[in-house]
């Protein structure tokens, strides 16, 4: 098994191992530089050196997590790897360490030691990640998968594999046809073996993914239940395609969802303790963020007035939990006449209704700060599906199956879909984001909320998903 499930969230073991090794490297570099070469720069004694080293390693590891270092490592080029690591360690880590050392000066190793520690860690971690990618992609460690099915569901899985999963240590060997008219390309089809288990054993297959073609009973088709049972009982994983998507891509493939899956699958519920804890966390974080953000909010308001005058704030009706409507507040980023005819419009790339100040506050997410008020009121949470306008919800519910399921959790300032799907302003984009919102609705927990909040730093810094 190459993954564990902790608090309903899938965590891949190779990346957990990488995170542990990186943490040990950060710890070791700091101990050597401060404990051996500059023993007077941190609190004396082994305990003092260890405490300062743990603090250093924890902050830089959080920087990596905030920049999506583990989520994007399998997709990025060498130059992107350099950039992401430099931002995580030299920018985010440097700022965070400077703030921490301002309150804990005894932990400060000195500017020279800190400079060399960060520089050496950056270089060593980049080399370590390149070696990790080579190992994960080696023939000895890849997970070899066979897809049972050759219709549209199997083809969709192959497309997603080519786009996202090829670099994740997975090799799709091919597809076993379950229909006389396969959609999958011929070079991806496998000859149906006489003995499925022996075939899997000889070809080192570790998993069979069931992605059958949807059809009426009269169209025939077959599912080799005895053969699949033998494979399962003899150690080869047999997985539904929908569960495979959920585990590997952390989304719910909409075409595979049936009402029975929602009814009988584990998830889509949280305990009252978690609900109350999340609400308390929302209130505490809102008050802390409000105290920090007040100067930025005043400057934003002044900039809006100087460029386009009043009003400073813009409000819209949005659909919240259980379909209840509420009014959301933002700093105005568009002209006053953006919707003068009263008709709701999707935002678009290079939207000419956006002002110069509006473009800046959208890129930096400063326009979202007034929504702290919505969180305090209880209309929204810090983490959850982004709330949509009633006009769009009515249209999307008619055209996208299960769209209303996203309204069974409280909407949020930041969400799982915002981390994983580029900004969308169309029905097809809403469909793509719903796959991630469904995953969040099914599996959300306090741990997942924490991971989303940390990784949203990357979205803000790099201006991802902004129109």
């Amino acid at each position: 098994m190459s993954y564990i499930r902790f608090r309903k969230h899938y965590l891949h073991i190779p990346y957990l191992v990488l995170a542990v090794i990186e943490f040990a490297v950060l710890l070791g570099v700091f101990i050597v530089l401060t404990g051996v070469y500059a023993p007077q720069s941190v609190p004396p004694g082994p305990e003092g050196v260890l405490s300062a080293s743990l603090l250093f390693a924890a902050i830089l590891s959080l920087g990596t997590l905030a920049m999506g270092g583990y989520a994007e490592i399998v997709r990025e080029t060498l130059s992107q790897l350099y950039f992401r690591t430099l931002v995580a360690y030299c920018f985010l880590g440097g700022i965070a360490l400077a703030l921490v050392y301002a309150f804990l000066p005894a932990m400060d190793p000195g500017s020279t030691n800190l400079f060399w520690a960060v520089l050496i860690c950056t270089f060593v971690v980049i080399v370590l990640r390149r070696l990790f990618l080579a190992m994960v992609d080696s023939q000895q460690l890849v997970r070899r998968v066979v897809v049972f099915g050759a219709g549209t569901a199997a083809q969709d899985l192959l497309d997603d594999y080519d786009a996202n999963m090829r670099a994740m240590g997975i090799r799709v060997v091919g597809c076993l046809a379950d229909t006389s008219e396969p959609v999958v390309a011929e070079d991806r089809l496998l000859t149906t073996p006489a003995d499925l288990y022996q075939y899997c054993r000889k070809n080192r297959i570790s998993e069979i993914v069931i992605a059958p073609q949807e059809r009426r009973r009269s169209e025939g088709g077959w599912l080799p239940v005895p053969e699949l049972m033998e494979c399962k009982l003899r150690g080869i994983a047999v997985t539904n395609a929908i569960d495979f998507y959920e585990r590997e891509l952390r989304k719910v493939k909409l075409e595979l969802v049936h009402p029975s899956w929602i009814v009988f699958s584990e998830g889509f519920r949280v305990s009252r303790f978690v609900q109350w804890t999340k609400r308390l966390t929302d209130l505490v974080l809102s008050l802390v963020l409000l105290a920090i953000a007040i100067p930025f909010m005043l400057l934003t308001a002044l900039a809006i007035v100087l460029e386009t005058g009043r009003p400073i704030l813009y409000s819209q009706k949005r659909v919240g939990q259980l379909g209840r409507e509420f009014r959301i507040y933002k700093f105005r980023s568009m002209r006053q006449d953006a919707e003068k005819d009263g008709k709701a419009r999707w935002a678009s790339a290079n939207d000419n209704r956006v002002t110069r100040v509006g473009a800046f506050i959208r890129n930096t997410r400063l326009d979202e700060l007034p929504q702290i008020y919505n969180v305090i009121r209880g209309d929204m949470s810090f983490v959850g599906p982004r709330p949509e306008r009633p006009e769009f919800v009515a249209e999307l519910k008619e055209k996208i199956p299960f769209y209303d399921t996203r309204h069974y959790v409280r909407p949020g300032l930041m969400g799982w879909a915002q981390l994983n799907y580029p900004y969308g302003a169309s029905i097809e984009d809403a469909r793509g984001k719903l796959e991630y919102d469904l995953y969040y609705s099914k599996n959300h927990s306090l741990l997942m909320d924490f991971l989303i909040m940390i990784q949203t730093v990357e979205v803000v810094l790099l201006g991802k998903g902004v129109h």
Side-chain angles (χ1 to χ4, degrees), residues 164-203:
N164 301 292
M165 289 185 280
R166 181 175 288 275
M168 293 175 67
I170 297 173
R171 289 292 177 273
V172 174
V173 176
C175 299
L176 294 172
D178 64 333
T179 175
S180 58
E181 298 180 359
V183 176
V184 172
E186 189 173 346
D187 62 340
R188 285 293 191 57
L189 290 175
L190 301 172
T191 302
T192 303
D195 189 319
L196 183 58
Y197 171 72
Q198 290 300 328
Y199 172 84
C200 292
R201 184 181 176 187
K202 289 180 181 178
N203 292 276

Side-chain angles (χ1 to χ4, degrees), residues 126-159:
I126 288 174
V127 173
L128 180 63
R129 291 184 184 180
R130 295 300 296 175
L131 292 173
F132 169 80
L133 286 174
M135 289 181 62
V136 169
D137 198 45
S138 67
Q139 291 301 317
Q140 288 73 30
L141 294 180
V142 294
R143 287 177 290 141
R144 294 169 62 82
V145 173
V146 164
V147 177
F148 180 82
T152 54
Q155 184 59 55
D156 287 344
L157 192 150
L158 290 176
D159 292 340

Side-chain angles (χ1 to χ4, degrees), residues 311-340:
I312 296 170
L313 296 178
Y314 176 68
S315 68
Q316 282 181 339
K317 282 187 176 181
R318 296 291 175 99
V319 177
Q321 190 174 22
L322 301 178
R324 291 190 292 264
E325 293 185 8
F326 67 98
R327 190 162 288 277
I328 199 173
Y329 295 92
K330 293 184 177 184
F331 281 119
R332 182 172 57 82
S333 59
M334 291 188 176
R335 302 190 312 263
Q336 291 92 330
D337 62 347
E339 291 183 355
K340 59 184 178 181

Side-chain angles (χ1 to χ4, degrees), residues 67 87 91-92 363 456-464:
M67 285 302 297
V87 172
F91 180 70
L92 281 182
N363 281 321
T456 299
V457 172
E458 179 198 5
V459 176
V460 175
L461 282 181
L462 302 185
K464 293 172 65 175

Side-chain angles (χ1 to χ4, degrees), residues 377-399:
R377 271 177 50 95
D379 300 323
M380 298 173 62
S381 176
F382 253 87
V383 180
R386 288 294 294 164
E388 195 51 85
R389 300 176 68 172
E391 301 90 336
F392 296 147
V393 169
E395 179 183 8
L396 294 170
K397 284 169 63 176
E398 291 181 0
K399 297 183 178 180

